[in-house]
C-alpha cells in the first residue's frame, strides 16, 4: 500500500496528521512538479494509502474521493477551508502554501535552490476520507 505522507516529518506533519484524525482536514494540495520529480503517479479516486506520522508509524488508511489537477490560481475557498489548518480565505491558504513550497527544505527536495510557484503552477487538489483507523 502506498504511504500518505503530509509535509516533511516534524511538527507540521504531526499537526496535519492530528487534524486528519480529528476529521478537520479532508483535503490536501501537492505540486505536479513534485510527483514528476519523484516519478510518482498522481492520486486516483478510490486509491487507498496508509497515512504515516513523523516516526513512520501507520495511523489510518485514507481513501481518495476526488482529484483535480488545476493551476494554483484555481484553488477555491472550500478546498482551502477543508485543508483543516484554520484558513479563512484563499489568500491565507495561498500565502502559507507558497511559503512551504518555496522553503529551503522544499527547494532542497526539488534540487532547485530557486524553485518558485505562481498562478500557473499546476497542483493536485485531493479530497480523502478515513476508511480505517489503526491502533
Amino acid at each position: 500500500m502506498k504511504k500518505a505522507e503530509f509535509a516533511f516529518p516534524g511538527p507540521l506533519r504531526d499537526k496535519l496528521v492530528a487534524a486528519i484524525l480529528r476529521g478537520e482536514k479532508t483535503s490536501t494540495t501537492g505540486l505536479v512538479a513534485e510527483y514528476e520529480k519523484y516519478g510518482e503517479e498522481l492520486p486516483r479516486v478510490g486509491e487507498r494509502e496508509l497515512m504515516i506520522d513523523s516516526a513512520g508509524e501507520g495511523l489510518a488508511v485514507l481513501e481518495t474521493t476526488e482529484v483535480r489537477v488545476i493551476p494554483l490560481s484555481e484553488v477555491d475557498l472550500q478546498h482551502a477551508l477543508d485543508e483543516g489548518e484554520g484558513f479563512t480565505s484563499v489568500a491565507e491558504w495561498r500565502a502559507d502554501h507558497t511559503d512551504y513550497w518555496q522553503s529551503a527544505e522544499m527547494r532542497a527536495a526539488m534540487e532547485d535552490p530557486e524553485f518558485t510557484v505562481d498562478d500557473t503552477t499546476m497542483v493536485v487538489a485531493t479530497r480523502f476520507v478515513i476508511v480505517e483507523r489503526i491502533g
Side-chain angles (χ1 to χ4, degrees):
M1 180 177 291
K2 280 175 58 177
K3 291 181 180 164
E5 299 180 72
F6 293 86
F8 295 103
L12 179 56
R13 177 176 292 175
D14 296 338
K15 174 185 162 186
L16 299 177
V17 165
I20 291 166
L21 292 172
R22 287 191 305 269
E24 296 167 4
K25 179 173 179 64
T26 58
S27 71
T28 193
T29 313
L31 298 174
V32 171
E34 191 175 11
Y35 284 93
E36 291 172 347
K37 167 129 183 79
Y38 291 101
E40 295 176 8
E41 290 183 22
L42 296 181
R44 297 181 324 275
V45 172
E47 180 176 52
R48 291 186 174 194
E49 296 178 302
L50 178 65
M51 179 181 70
I52 62 171
D53 63 13
S54 290
E57 295 296 318
L59 300 178
V61 176
L62 306 180
E63 182 174 309
T64 302
T65 60
E66 180 183 60
V67 178
R68 293 181 298 150
V69 178
I70 56 176
L72 184 55
S73 63
E74 290 184 21
V75 172
D76 57 271
L77 179 59
Q78 193 60 58
H79 184 81
L81 295 173
D82 292 344
E83 286 235 5
E85 296 177 63
F87 305 117
T88 58
S89 69
V90 172
E92 272 182 25
W93 174 91
R94 171 85 179 252
D96 182 81
H97 281 69
T98 297
D99 286 349
Y100 174 77
W101 288 325
Q102 294 180 175
S103 68
E105 198 169 19
M106 181 58 98
R107 286 176 170 172
M110 296 299 286
E111 298 177 336
D112 180 352
E114 297 178 14
F115 182 79
T116 58
V117 297
D118 62 27
D119 281 353
T120 65
T121 301
M122 295 304 289
V123 300
V124 185
T126 307
R127 292 187 172 285
F128 54 85
V129 294
I130 296 173
V131 292
E132 179 185 346
R133 290 175 183 267
I134 298 169

